[in-house]
Amino acid sequence: MTPSPVLRAEGLSMAFGAFKVLDRVSLDVFGGEIVGILGPNGAGKTTFMNLLTGAYRPTTGRVHVLGEDVTHLATADRCRRGIARTHQVPRPFGGMTVFENVLVAARNGRGDPSGDPVGLAWQVLEHTGLAGVANRKAGSLGLLDRKRLELSRALATGPRVVLLDEIGGGLTDAEADRLVALIRDIQRDGVTIVWIEHIMRLLTECCTRMICMAGGAVIADGLPGDVIDAPAVRTAYFGAAA
Amino acid sequence: MTDLTITRSSTTSRITLGLLVAAGLALAALPWINGVGGSGRAVALLVYVLLAVMWNALAGFAGLVSIGQTLFFGVAAYATIRLSDAGIDPFLATILATLIGALLGYVTSLFMVSLSGGEFAIGMWVLSALAHLCVNLDPLIQGETGTSLIALNAYDVETRAALTLWLALAFTAVFMAALILLLRSSTGAAITAIRDDEIAARSVGVDVLRTKRIVFVLAATGTAAAGALWLTSNTSFQPKAFFGVHWTAYMLFMVLVGGLGRIEGALIGAVLFFVIETLFGAYGAWYLVGLGAVAVLFALVLPNGLWGWIGPRLPGEAIPTGYFVHKKEGRTQHVDG
């Protein structure tokens, strides 16, 4: 018997007026996976993520978390069911300290409200390496720390799945490597990861599975090496001649 | 578990609290020092403080910019007239009218808070204009002719002035305390998060609508208290003088000049407005021109308001709503990068 998926997208379609961005995309993500999603600009990756988090409602299709249909739940409710996300352009609560940022997530985002949010928030900051700047205003952080803060807030909600939206973008190679190490750590702690990224190196280093999207549909799904070599993926990225 | 210490106050905040309490006591003693005239001006100051602090809570924290808070200001004044006409003591009527404002705030919140931006702002204005028209239809009010809180004649002038001032002080203290306690509560960090980034707040599980509704009802109640007080202090009720758009302009002025999103900003904005009005109010139209010029000047020179300049220069928050965390141990607080 196959295990039941942590996150299931079932025939998700999204149209803005007559323009179809996503066409019946289905995906099962299983516990412990790091699923990388790549695809050229306009492939529908970010729209797909927004449907998973509940930022948009799909035109058709359903989203399930741990077997529960969450299609009609708002973002905040889905967060409490175990879907957390990071934003492509970090969105810190700039006027609050780093610690307060994470405390808000620990207090509001957990499905199980028992436990001490203060202690939890601190633990997360120690894990992500932000404890030393806990009392600094989040608005004063540099890019790498802002990305760490995004990750910290996501973790503080006690997620089953974390959706990463281009978390590697804009970082130097060394910074990106530090982030990758952290993401691996998080996965070892039992959190499943779905990761949209343009930097292919990060995905191939990290992912247990990769899917490629183009034109609003999944065109390849499998091991990272196989997906990168797939003819359909090469066509999508480099044109027909490749 | 770790040895975490959370500090939520500082020397700055203790001094601020001392100053606020001293100011409150000084105002409370005013009837003996300065008589009726002084008390009336003090009530005006407290009404401005209430309006500024409440508008700031709504716009600065919940991100709900309302240009129709006169709905609560005017309806509470009207309710005071009506209750007093029904034979209730005018001071008790002031308190009951505030509760009616709270109820109106709750009912309004059910459909208004889910609106955002311009829709919310204009929607509130429409509601206020609607209430204004309805009040004009009441035969007791006689349209814009208005009426007076006649029942106040039961008190002699000195008693009336002193009671109004003390009631105003009590209201201001209660609403300030309520707002500060709310911001320090577990909901408080969620409110501040919404202030900074609503979308991010949603994605970490904050129930944005519920949180906004709490702030909205508090702001409605505080604004209603201000309206009832303004009536009790000025005794005459002409609908235009309570539902008029000039109140919205005053609220905007006080909060923007003082500093949006900080209680301290609203406070000093109200004090500044009071001082300008006291010194230049007699100049009529030119006073309003000057007020506009001050607002423009601040927008250009200090876009974050007075407190946006003062606040960061203080060693700690004056009105502390945040958390300062540190771990008791030798080797901690190290971080790479």
Side-chain angles (χ1 to χ4, degrees), chain B residues 96-158:
Chain B
L96 291 177
T98 304
L99 295 177
I100 290 174
L103 189 69
L104 180 65
Y106 175 74
V107 173
T108 316
S109 79
L110 295 178
F111 54 94
M112 287 308 289
V113 167
S114 52
L115 300 179
S116 61
E119 290 169 348
F120 173 80
I122 304 290
M124 288 304 299
W125 191 16
V126 169
L127 288 180
S128 172
L130 209 62
H132 184 177
L133 287 173
C134 292
V135 166
N136 274 356
L137 293 177
D138 185 339
L140 179 69
I141 307 300
Q142 313 167 71
E144 285 301 339
T145 310
T147 181
S148 293
L149 197 55
I150 306 155
L152 278 177
N153 289 335
Y155 296 87
D156 66 77
V157 177
E158 282 82 22

Side-chain angles (χ1 to χ4, degrees), chain B residues 41 44 47-53 55-56 66-67 69-70 73 230 240-259 265-274 276-278 280-282 284-285 287-292 295:
Chain B
R41 288 306 291 158
V47 165
Y48 297 157
V49 166
L50 264 177
L51 288 177
V53 169
W55 197 82
N56 179 50
S66 166
I67 55 174
Q69 289 307 92
T70 42
F73 192 77
W230 191 254
K240 219 167 33 189
F242 284 81
F243 287 100
V245 75
H246 58 287
W247 286 109
T248 303
Y250 296 164
M251 290 181 228
L252 273 157
F253 177 88
M254 293 186 283
V255 172
L256 295 185
V257 166
L267 256 177
I268 54 174
V271 172
L272 184 72
F273 175 71
F274 176 79
I276 294 178
E277 192 204 35
T278 307
F280 304 107
Y287 155 65
L288 294 174
V289 171
L291 214 53

Side-chain angles (χ1 to χ4, degrees), chain A residues 132-207:
Chain A
V133 291
N135 295 311
R136 256 183 53 190
K137 290 270 188 259
S140 72
L141 296 178
L143 184 63
L144 176 63
D145 280 347
R146 280 172 187 242
K147 299 213 167 201
R148 280 178 167 158
L149 181 58
E150 284 280 326
L151 207 50
S152 307
R153 282 197 315 212
L155 288 179
T157 66
R160 299 299 300 262
V161 192
V162 176
L163 310 178
L164 306 175
D165 193 357
E166 299 201 20
I167 197 162
L171 297 178
T172 65
D173 277 359
E175 287 174 336
D177 288 340
R178 301 235 290 274
L179 210 55
V180 163
L182 185 57
I183 290 164
R184 282 215 177 102
D185 256 11
I186 293 165
Q187 180 238 8
R188 268 195 295 272
D189 290 345
V191 179
T192 305
I193 297 193
V194 177
W195 186 357
I196 291 181
E197 189 56 77
H198 268 300
I199 306 167
M200 208 174 299
R201 175 181 77 87
L202 299 182
L203 289 189
T204 50
E205 277 176 15
C206 226
C207 293

Side-chain angles (χ1 to χ4, degrees), chain A residues 75-76 79-80 87 91 93-96 99-100 103-105 107-109 118-119 122 126 129 132 135 145 148 153 178, chain B residues 1 4 6 186 189 192-193 195-197 199-207 322-325 327 333 335-337:
Chain A
T75 305
C79 175
R80 277 177 236 124
H87 297 93
R91 292 177 161 271
F93 304 128
M96 304 171 78
F99 175 77
E100 288 160 5
L103 183 64
V104 171
R107 271 204 187 126
N108 294 278
V118 167
W122 183 261
E126 286 197 325
N135 295 311
D145 280 347
R148 280 178 167 158
R153 282 197 315 212
R178 301 235 290 274
Chain B
M1 271 295 301
L4 286 178
I6 301 278
S186 60
T192 318
R195 173 194 72 182
D196 286 354
D197 193 321
I199 290 174
R202 274 179 218 283
S203 66
V204 296
V206 172
D207 188 338
Y323 298 75
F324 187 86
V325 60
K327 194 173 162 180
Q333 310 233 356
V335 70
D336 60 322

